[in-house]
Amino acid sequence: MNEQELHEAVSRLPKSIEPPRDLWPDISARIKVGPWRRWYWVPLAAAAVFVLVMIGRSIQPTAWDVTALAGRPLLGTHRLAASGRLRVGDWLQTDDSSRALVAVGRIGQVEVQPDTRVQLVVARADEHRLALAHGTIAAKVDAVPRLFFVETPAGTAIDLGCAYTLATDSLGKGVLHVTAGEVEFQTGLRSARVPLGALIQIRPTTGPGIPYVDDAPAPFVRALMTFDYEPRGTRARAIRTVLALARPQDALSLWHLLQRVDPSLRGLVYDRLATLVPPPPGVTRLGAIALHSRDLEGYWTTIQRIHFRMMALRGVRDVDPRTGRAVH
Amino acid sequence: MPPPDDLVARAQAGDQTAFRELYRQHAGRVYALCLRLTGDARDADERTQDVFVRLWDKLRSFRGESAFSSWLHRLAVNVVLNERRTTGRRERRVMPAEDPDNMAGAQHAAPLHLNIDLERAIADLPDGAREVFVLYDIEGYGHGEIAQLVGIAEGTSKAQLFRARRLLREKLER
């Protein structure tokens, strides 16, 4: 092929290529506007943030305490014998025989497990942020939501008042397992809410998978992972399997699935979800299928309430997983 | 169909229905640009979303000094190139084999197989060469503009274009 032929071939390329799927639902979800987006809130919000930042800076230490729990972790360029201070920008690295405990300002702590590398990114009263390059951390935080963040190569774990274990490799493949409260894991494009007793798989390009409870049946989990990470052609079968195997306890998975399936399949997912856990008053099928935030949030509140109740009473009392009421 | 200016004005006023119509009208063009600049269907999906989210945020700054489609096109180029600069990662180089039709588009003046081969060959180009080739040969930007957009010297842009064309000819002759 000569230059002229190449030029002619290029000129025949279509200027427009339709996306293989409708991107509008995702775009629409990202541009939702409410009254808070009105312009006159901007200066007020900026002023409030400024005041918070100034207050935070004046009272908050800019370094966190670190204690060696085993071996001699590397803090910056020095081996940590007993304890030290992790400053913003510092890396803390453990090898296969060392562990460390990091105090998250005044709101919690993070155990840095072997073969792990973390960096302190922000240490302020209104934002506590670590970067987890690879390895495993166990975090425990006692604070209002959205004060503690952990960045991984695939996305960010946002604390909503909780305890959790987060593991990742250097490319971003990992697992988040929540043991108390709730964590949100998000990338620029996708997010997942993970309550206690649930976990998510995380992948570098696709981000958080659909959460599932830690006693979910293996075929159910496999089908979720096929839906999340396998080529699109295999998804229809995976969705059928998920819906067939779902129990009332798996409502949190279906709530996420509803928002990720093609629009044409949302009705199917919604109907199965509604069979397992009836929607609360005010939530409509039409609204949920259209992914209206009012309906989705209303439904989530119910699912979350039942889920927390079941977890709290696990081994103590039997709870109806469809309603959250104790069974006498 | 409402006139484009009316749609833009309504979207600027916060009308999401009008914005959705703008999306319908321009998604194909934006997706094609993202697909060719990234060389990856999944990245193109994400970048197309990013472009329209960014458009929603920036729409008020559109003053009508150029055609809306040109303005949007420029915005899309910036979004894709900024993302590449920010993340600096390119993990998937090859177009998913199961979606060749997506690459070929809906209307073909040339034989289908030639378009697919050419699209695949473009996707397989090294990042720098592909970006310059797409912007210059397909989208019609000049070397000066490309140099500014990509953050390279004009001479580098010319060299990358030469390299891209040579690689494409070699690939398509095999």
Side-chain angles (χ1 to χ4, degrees):
Chain A
M1 174 178 277
N2 62 33
E3 190 94 0
Q4 182 61 28
E5 288 168 335
L6 174 64
H7 186 69
E8 285 170 6
V10 167
S11 69
R12 286 193 296 264
L13 287 174
K15 287 289 181 194
S16 177
I17 300 173
E18 286 308 311
R21 67 184 183 93
D22 184 8
L23 303 177
W24 176 253
D26 290 341
I27 294 167
S28 171
R30 292 173 62 190
I31 62 168
K32 286 275 183 268
V33 287
W36 61 274
R37 281 287 300 270
R38 293 178 201 276
W39 65 270
Y40 50 76
W41 283 100
V42 173
L44 288 177
V49 168
F50 180 75
V51 169
L52 278 175
V53 166
M54 295 311 289
I55 292 172
R57 286 191 172 168
S58 66
I59 61 174
Q60 184 72 6
T62 55
W64 295 352
D65 293 329
V66 185
T67 308
L69 296 176
R72 296 189 67 190
L74 196 61
L75 177 58
T77 55
H78 301 287
R79 291 278 168 199
L80 187 65
S83 62
R85 300 276 284 167
L86 183 67
R87 297 180 190 287
V88 172
D90 282 350
W91 285 96
L92 173 65
Q93 186 157 354
T94 56
D95 57 23
D96 58 2
S97 60
S98 59
R99 290 183 298 122
L101 190 67
V102 178
V104 180
R106 294 168 182 153
I107 65 170
Q109 61 185 41
V110 166
E111 183 179 325
V112 180
Q113 297 186 355
D115 283 325
T116 299
R117 182 170 158 80
V118 296
Q119 183 188 38
L120 179 53
V121 179
V122 178
R124 295 200 312 255
D126 60 333
E127 183 178 348
H128 305 70
R129 188 177 290 266
L130 280 178
L132 171 62
H134 64 80
T136 305
I137 60 168
K140 200 176 288 184
V141 170
D142 183 12
V144 295
R146 301 183 187 278
L147 278 187
F148 177 54
F149 305 83
V150 179
E151 296 171 0
T152 77
T156 304
I158 303 168
D159 171 90
L160 302 178
C162 59
Y164 64 89
T165 303
L166 176 60
T168 182
D169 67 16
S170 57
L171 294 177
K173 181 180 178 183
V175 180
L176 168 68
H177 186 192
V178 178
T179 51
E182 188 173 325
V183 177
E184 184 173 341
F185 192 93
Q186 68 177 31
T187 63
L189 299 162
R190 184 182 267 192
S191 72
R193 294 178 185 179
V194 193
L196 82 161
L199 60 158
I200 51 166
Q201 303 291 327
I202 303 162
R203 294 292 180 272
T205 49
T206 42
I210 290 176
Y212 53 91
V213 291
D214 48 19
D215 64 352
F220 178 80
V221 175
R222 274 199 301 274
L224 283 181
M225 291 187 67
T226 300
F227 172 79
D228 278 328
Y229 303 121
E230 297 300 318
R232 294 182 69 84
T234 57
R235 284 180 168 185
R237 188 173 173 188
I239 293 169
R240 283 199 300 273
T241 306
V242 167
L243 297 182
L245 297 179
R247 311 159 302 166
Q249 296 91 315
D250 302 314
L252 67 95
S253 301
L254 296 198
W255 184 84
H256 283 82
L257 182 67
L258 175 66
Q259 298 164 74
R260 297 191 186 187
V261 293
D262 290 335
S264 61
L265 295 173
R266 286 182 197 151
L268 203 61
V269 178
Y270 178 87
D271 291 342
R272 180 65 177 144
L273 175 58
T275 306
L276 298 171
V277 173
V283 171
T284 66
R285 184 177 191 275
L286 207 61
I289 289 173
L291 305 186
H292 289 158
S293 59
R294 190 181 64 83
D295 295 87
L296 291 176
E297 290 304 319
Y299 216 151
W300 178 253
T301 302
T302 294
I303 292 168
Q304 185 192 43
R305 180 181 55 77
I306 295 172
H307 179 80
F308 274 95
R309 196 167 163 75
M310 286 176 58
M311 288 292 154
L313 295 177
R314 194 187 253 182
V316 180
R317 292 179 75 175
D318 289 333
V319 172
D320 180 350
R322 297 178 75 251
T323 62
R325 294 196 191 99
V327 178
H328 298 288
Chain B
M1 185 187 293
D5 288 352
D6 181 40
L7 275 181
V8 173
R10 281 167 47 206
Q12 282 179 316
D15 181 344
Q16 279 206 39
T17 309
F19 187 68
R20 181 177 189 160
E21 186 53 35
L22 282 178
Y23 163 78
R24 298 273 174 237
Q25 290 182 14
H26 296 279
R29 186 79 205 279
V30 170
Y31 181 77
L33 175 68
C34 293
L35 185 60
R36 288 175 180 139
L37 278 177
T38 61
D40 182 278
R42 192 173 295 182
D43 279 351
D45 182 311
E46 293 173 358
R47 292 299 81 75
T48 303
Q49 291 182 45
D50 291 346
V51 168
F52 282 95
V53 172
R54 185 93 176 114
L55 173 64
W56 177 254
D57 289 338
K58 297 265 294 181
L59 203 51
R60 281 174 189 278
S61 67
F62 175 67
R63 299 276 176 255
E65 289 151 355
S66 59
F68 175 74
S69 56
S70 307
W71 185 78
L72 171 59
H73 194 267
R74 181 80 170 208
L75 179 76
V77 170
N78 278 322
V79 166
V80 176
L81 296 179
N82 279 341
E83 169 62 19
R84 184 184 162 222
R85 273 195 286 271
T86 305
T87 61
R89 66 188 154 85
R90 275 289 171 269
E91 290 151 353
R92 289 161 283 123
R93 302 259 23 89
V94 183
M95 206 61 67
E98 71 273 19
D99 289 339
D101 290 347
N102 293 336
M103 292 298 302
Q107 297 169 351
H108 311 287
L112 183 64
H113 67 87
L114 180 57
N115 272 354
I116 293 173
D117 288 347
L118 180 54
E119 295 279 20
R120 282 188 194 284
I122 293 169
D124 282 344
L125 286 172
D127 285 340
R130 187 182 58 255
E131 284 168 3
V132 171
F133 178 81
V134 169
L135 293 175
Y136 190 94
D137 269 357
I138 301 180
E139 302 297 340
Y141 285 84
H143 283 298
E145 288 175 292
I146 295 172
Q148 273 191 339
L149 284 165
V150 182
I152 54 177
E154 241 184 277
T156 309
S157 175
K158 290 175 184 170
Q160 290 283 31
L161 180 64
F162 178 80
R163 182 182 173 214
R165 287 174 175 170
R166 179 174 54 78
L167 289 170
L168 285 175
R169 286 201 310 273
E170 286 172 5
K171 187 124 189 162
L172 294 170
E173 274 168 6
R174 275 180 213 157

